[in-house]
Amino acid sequence: MADQPVAPARASTLEMERIRYDPEWEIPTNYPPRKKPENPLLAKIKSTFTTTTPSTLPPPAASAPAVVNIDLKETSLPPSTSHSANGVPLPPGKQHPGLLSRYLPPEKRCFGHLTRRAFLLLLLAILFILALALGLGLGLGLRHRQSESIPLPWTSAGKGVQTGSLTFYDPSSAAGACGWYSSDNDSVVAVSHALFDAGLDASGTKNSNGNVLCGRMIRVWEEGKEGDKKVVEVVDRCTGCEVRDLDLGDGVFGGVTGQGQDRGRVRGGWEWV
């Protein structure tokens, strides 16, 4: 049988897809972007900082996997070992006691039967009473010192000549603190409120009419004119005067100063008679 010519094998569809025929007239438009050449200096700097040296350390040894014990009894933390002030262990979970509980535990009894709270209240009450007594003592001591400096007739501060300002007022406008009425021509004087009140305290009464200073006589003169002395009687209390100031009746003020009421305030001296 004569040999018949064999037809060439037809390319498969897959092979046909691999073959691409681009016509000569087609101009490709999807060229990849052209890479911009890198600056040699920048490339050298970059390579300097990015160059790495191989580590000389040996590779870490493989560790055995950790075994987790899920037994709660074996993995639970030990109880707290804190102790109270008297050495008794604290229950688990309780924090360490503070300074107060360290020296004064809550379970301790003071004086045999007092609880800590009762003892603290008693201590605060005692401290309050001591502070109150100290304040009263200081106040009384200060008042006693002030009373010693007030020139009462029977004290050392009241002995001798006193100096202060001399002013005048109208004694006929109303009754004085001693309860007496006076006229403009009477030789009367109002002492300072501090001096009058000190005399009232010494009298042992709250009624100003019973003040021991009421009716006491004072010899007064203007500073530099000791020859023109006048004797006046205490009948009133001056609220705006300093301790050693005197407020004279307007009639006697002119006799002491010699210039009437034109001079509203002068310096003068005085002493108890």
Side-chain angles (χ1 to χ4, degrees):
M1 187 173 182
D3 295 333
Q4 295 181 359
V6 180
R10 187 178 180 180
S12 63
T13 305
L14 181 60
E15 292 178 353
M16 292 297 292
E17 291 178 355
R18 291 179 180 176
I19 302 175
R20 178 175 179 177
Y21 299 94
D22 294 333
E24 296 180 358
W25 52 266
E26 183 178 356
I27 301 176
T29 58
N30 56 349
Y31 286 112
R34 188 176 181 181
K35 186 176 182 181
K36 186 177 180 181
E38 189 175 4
N39 192 328
L41 180 61
L42 295 178
K44 185 176 180 180
I45 296 175
K46 182 177 180 182
S47 62
T48 302
F49 288 99
T50 57
T51 301
T52 57
T53 57
S55 177
T56 58
L57 298 176
S63 58
V67 179
V68 180
N69 190 353
I70 61 173
D71 191 355
L72 297 180
K73 294 183 180 180
E74 296 182 1
T75 58
S76 59
L77 296 177
S80 175
T81 56
S82 300
H83 292 73
S84 61
N86 53 7
V88 179
L90 296 175
K94 189 174 182 180
Q95 298 180 357
H96 195 276
L99 186 62
L100 179 61
S101 298
R102 182 179 302 176
Y103 294 99
L104 191 62
E107 65 275 5
K108 185 177 180 180
R109 295 288 178 172
C110 302
F111 301 109
H113 61 281
L114 288 179
T115 61
R116 185 178 71 169
R117 181 178 181 182
F119 174 74
L120 292 177
L121 291 177
L122 178 61
L123 184 61
L124 289 177
I126 294 175
L127 292 177
F128 176 76
I129 294 174
L130 290 177
L132 183 61
L134 181 61
L136 290 176
L138 291 177
L140 292 176
L142 181 61
R143 184 175 180 181
H144 180 68
R145 288 186 178 182
Q146 292 178 350
S147 63
E148 288 181 350
S149 63
I150 295 177
L152 291 169
W154 54 86
T155 63
S156 59
K159 304 297 182 182
V161 176
Q162 313 295 328
T163 57
S165 298
L166 304 180
T167 54
F168 66 91
Y169 77 106
D170 182 11
S172 63
S173 60
C178 293
W180 306 335
Y181 289 89
S182 304
S183 64
D184 296 340
N185 298 325
D186 293 338
S187 297
V188 294
V189 64
V191 296
S192 65
H193 62 92
L195 180 57
F196 191 89
D197 294 344
L200 187 62
D201 293 339
S203 304
T205 178
K206 298 298 183 180
N207 189 358
S208 62
N209 296 343
N211 197 321
V212 295
L213 297 182
C214 292
R216 294 295 298 258
M217 309 303 293
I218 292 177
R219 187 179 292 109
V220 59
W221 61 90
E222 185 182 357
E223 194 174 48
K225 297 181 181 180
E226 285 77 5
D228 299 333
K229 296 181 179 179
K230 301 292 182 181
V231 177
V232 293
E233 182 182 11
V234 177
V235 296
D236 208 347
R237 176 179 182 269
C238 177
T239 57
C241 296
E242 297 296 331
V243 178
R244 289 172 171 80
D245 293 348
L246 295 180
D247 198 17
L248 301 172
D250 49 9
V252 72
F253 181 81
V256 172
T257 61
Q259 297 184 12
Q261 301 178 2
D262 296 336
R263 304 169 63 190
R265 181 183 297 269
V266 298
R267 294 290 299 176
W270 58 274
E271 59 185 356
W272 296 102
V273 176

